[in-house]
Amino acid sequence: ELEDYYGDVPAAEFGPVRLAELRDLFVASGNTRRVCNQSTRNVIRIFKHAVSRELISVAILEALKTIEPLRQGQTAAPDQQERQPVDLAHVRATAEHLSPIIRAKVVVQLGTGMRPPEVFEMRPCDIDRNGEVWVYRPAKHKTMNKGKRRAVPIVGETRAAITPYLLRGESDCFSPAESYRWHLEQRAESRTTPRSCGNRAGSNRVKNPRWKSSEKFRRDSYRNAVSRAAKNAGVPQWTPYQLRHTTLTHVREALGSEYSQALGGHSTRQMAEHYAKIAEAKSIEAALAAPSIA
């Protein structure tokens, strides 16, 4: 909306009133209050970057900062619904309609409580397999800019699920292209026309298709795959982020909040470096208590 509605407005003339109007557009588009506030902050960050490059006056940035965030009960923007755990029976039913790679991702995420992007970025070279318990240490994670370490135990069903994808060096364990090939193979196997009739398998494919599978999984592609499988299984829709919530809720109820915090990487900023080993030990115990779809 910023470019669409205010692309021709000089930066020096974009003040708090226009920013408030832009935020009203965010609200009118049906976004939640949280998204509206976040989008507004992102606009302010754009101007902050411009100030750092001496492209505009700092006074413009300070004026934009005077905009108060939308408060609960004081705006038409709805509040975001609290994420709920997903029924494990629904996960098991959905898994029956997933490709082997997507199913493995679901198993790994449910057994570790990782965020979807952390699963996307898994590489064999980041998994320490020297000890009795394998430990995945992501090269990138959400809290790395705060100086926090992330150590995710790989045990039980999770270890079995990731094992077939370990001979890939520095490449990602999970490939969307490989998942797409599986779907093509399933489609070929389920064809009703005899192979002696009709088109030869693969002969009618476009040489340069407009759509190609990406090199990496994205949140949308993962979520859409789960959504389609849930629909095919006839169960309520659920999202990959609910898996993380399910695992951490299960661990918290079984062992306590400290273990859920350790497994989820929700360490407090005040945690000292010498507590890292304690947190890792708790996360291993938490991973052993995590739910599974077996």
Side-chain angles (χ1 to χ4, degrees):
E1 283 90 346
L2 178 62
E3 183 177 358
D4 293 340
Y5 290 93
Y6 299 98
D8 297 331
V9 177
E13 298 177 12
F14 189 87
V17 173
R18 283 196 165 107
L19 181 57
E21 292 173 349
L22 179 62
R23 187 177 61 184
D24 289 341
L25 292 174
F26 296 150
V27 174
S29 298
N31 294 300
T32 63
R33 181 170 63 89
R34 177 182 177 183
V35 171
C36 292
N37 285 334
Q38 184 176 11
S39 299
T40 303
R41 290 193 298 269
N42 288 340
V43 173
I44 295 176
R45 289 193 186 98
I46 294 174
F47 281 80
K48 181 179 179 180
H49 177 77
V51 170
S52 70
R53 297 297 184 271
E54 298 185 354
L55 299 176
I56 61 174
S57 169
V58 68
I60 300 173
L61 174 62
E62 294 302 320
L64 294 178
K65 287 182 178 180
T66 62
I67 290 289
E68 292 288 336
L70 296 174
R71 306 293 183 185
Q72 187 175 17
Q74 299 178 353
T75 175
D79 282 315
Q80 185 170 341
Q81 295 296 319
E82 183 177 353
R83 187 173 287 120
Q84 298 295 325
V86 58
D87 191 324
L88 289 179
H90 297 160
V91 178
R92 295 187 183 102
T94 301
E96 297 299 321
H97 297 268
L98 293 170
S99 71
I101 285 184
I102 300 293
R103 188 185 189 282
K105 288 171 64 174
V106 168
V107 172
V108 170
Q109 195 183 354
L110 189 63
T112 61
M114 284 194 288
R115 302 173 180 89
E118 292 175 325
V119 180
F120 303 160
E121 301 291 339
M122 287 191 79
R123 302 181 302 172
C125 60
D126 294 327
I127 301 176
D128 182 358
R129 289 168 272 170
N130 293 321
E132 182 178 348
V133 174
W134 292 359
V135 180
Y136 168 48
R137 305 183 191 280
K140 297 185 294 183
H141 58 87
K142 186 176 181 180
T143 57
M144 64 183 299
N145 62 327
K146 298 179 181 178
K148 298 177 181 178
R149 297 190 303 174
R150 186 85 164 97
V152 183
I154 307 295
V155 299
E157 186 182 0
T158 304
R159 180 166 171 169
I162 195 68
T163 298
Y165 306 100
L166 292 179
L167 299 178
R168 307 194 175 193
E170 296 186 2
S171 300
D172 294 341
C173 291
F174 305 114
S175 165
E178 188 173 333
S179 181
Y180 180 61
R181 285 195 299 271
W182 180 86
H183 282 289
L184 293 179
E185 292 169 359
Q186 295 301 302
R187 189 183 305 173
E189 290 179 5
S190 62
R191 64 180 282 173
T192 56
T193 304
R195 294 189 179 275
S196 58
C197 304
N199 294 327
R200 190 177 70 257
S203 62
N204 60 343
R205 293 178 190 165
V206 180
K207 291 184 178 180
N208 296 304
R210 296 176 60 184
W211 181 89
K212 296 180 180 179
S213 58
S214 60
E215 295 182 359
K216 290 180 174 290
F217 274 104
R218 298 184 176 88
R219 297 182 188 184
D220 289 344
S221 58
Y222 184 23
R223 184 182 64 248
N224 291 340
V226 168
S227 178
R228 286 192 298 268
K231 182 178 180 180
N232 293 334
V235 299
Q237 295 290 312
W238 55 273
T239 68
Y241 265 102
Q242 285 181 270
L243 289 177
R244 172 175 167 83
H245 192 67
T246 299
T247 300
L248 299 184
T249 299
H250 182 93
V251 169
R252 183 171 64 249
E253 293 175 351
L255 301 175
S257 58
E258 289 185 3
Y259 290 88
S260 174
Q261 182 180 5
L263 182 62
H266 288 155
S267 59
T268 59
R269 183 175 296 182
Q270 291 76 20
M271 182 178 287
E273 182 68 22
H274 65 274
Y275 286 120
K277 289 294 182 182
I278 299 177
E280 186 171 318
K282 286 184 177 180
S283 68
I284 292 173
E285 189 173 346
L288 291 170
S292 71
I293 62 174

